[in-house]
Amino acid sequence: MEIGARLKRLRMINSLTQEELASRADLTKGYISQVENDTTCPSIATLKDMLDVFGVSMQEFFSEPVDTEIVFGKKSRVQSTDDGNAVRVELLVPGAQNRELDPALVTLAPGAEMELQDVHEGEEFGYVLLGSVQVRLDDKAYTVKKDECFLFAADRRHTVKNIGRGEARILWVVTPPTFDY
């Protein structure tokens, strides 16, 4: 097992320098470097001190990573809503409740409008793949055309309407996951 590589990965994920980790674990920067380069092996007590900085248990640290699905094809999609073909939301990655974001493909018929969404935590991002839409945040409206995108904090009531003559399609990403159709 590459203890050093795993520790370095944890340190990088937590945006800590070797010096910051050393300070928090009451060690030296040089020692952290040696451990990360596998030139020395920490004692169990020292390893526990380092893992405590990250809030990771010994069991979590030594457990083998579970292979997760990386590629999701068209067959993986879950159609969460189909409003008589006026509004269709397809969840692109099933099981978003275990993730920090929720990507969806939203298709709107001409003139169709999504249900007004209440205020919630997080952010929403959309990239218009086809057509043009109007994004309404509270009482303000924004026009977004093909190859343009929008991003907003979801702390306002919001909706999207297709204002074009043809179908509109949006790649929509919500964090944290809130698509509950």
Side-chain angles (χ1 to χ4, degrees):
M1 170 174 276
E2 298 174 346
I3 290 174
R6 283 192 177 194
L7 280 171
K8 182 175 183 177
R9 184 169 185 272
L10 271 174
R11 181 177 61 78
M12 301 297 279
I13 287 170
N14 286 277
S15 302
L16 293 177
T17 64
Q18 288 181 339
E19 198 168 349
E20 290 169 326
L21 174 57
S23 173
R24 293 180 187 188
D26 201 23
L27 301 166
T28 66
K29 177 185 173 191
Y31 184 75
I32 298 295
S33 177
Q34 289 176 342
V35 170
E36 287 184 357
N37 290 311
D38 289 318
T39 58
T40 191
C41 188
S43 69
I44 291 174
T46 301
L47 179 59
K48 183 173 180 343
D49 289 343
M50 288 189 279
L51 294 177
D52 285 347
V53 171
F54 306 121
V56 172
S57 71
M58 292 284 250
Q59 182 180 356
E60 290 172 307
F61 182 73
F62 285 109
S63 65
E64 289 299 317
V66 177
D67 284 338
T68 58
E69 198 170 354
I70 301 298
V71 177
F72 299 89
K74 208 169 187 174
K75 291 181 181 180
S76 299
R77 294 181 187 173
V78 175
Q79 189 163 323
S80 64
T81 186
D82 189 348
D83 187 13
N85 289 331
V87 177
R88 188 172 67 241
V89 177
E90 295 175 88
L91 304 178
L92 300 175
V93 179
Q97 68 273 10
N98 298 322
R99 294 177 178 54
E100 296 196 25
L101 57 84
D102 195 5
L105 183 62
V106 176
T107 305
L108 301 165
E113 184 170 4
M114 292 183 76
E115 205 173 283
L116 185 63
Q117 302 295 305
D118 282 324
V119 172
H120 59 85
E121 67 176 310
E123 296 180 314
E124 301 204 18
F125 168 84
Y127 181 84
V128 179
L129 300 165
L130 181 67
S132 59
V133 297
Q134 181 183 73
V135 177
R136 199 171 72 235
L137 305 174
D138 288 332
D139 295 328
K140 190 154 184 173
Y142 303 88
T143 299
V144 188
K145 300 174 188 165
K146 179 181 177 197
D147 294 330
E148 294 181 338
C149 59
F150 56 85
L151 171 70
F152 59 88
D155 60 353
R156 298 183 274 176
R157 292 173 54 111
H158 48 280
T159 187
V160 173
K161 180 179 183 177
N162 180 353
I163 57 172
R165 293 182 183 159
E167 188 175 78
R169 191 168 297 131
I170 306 163
L171 172 62
W172 200 311
V173 181
V174 177
T175 180
T178 57
F179 280 114
D180 59 353
Y181 292 92

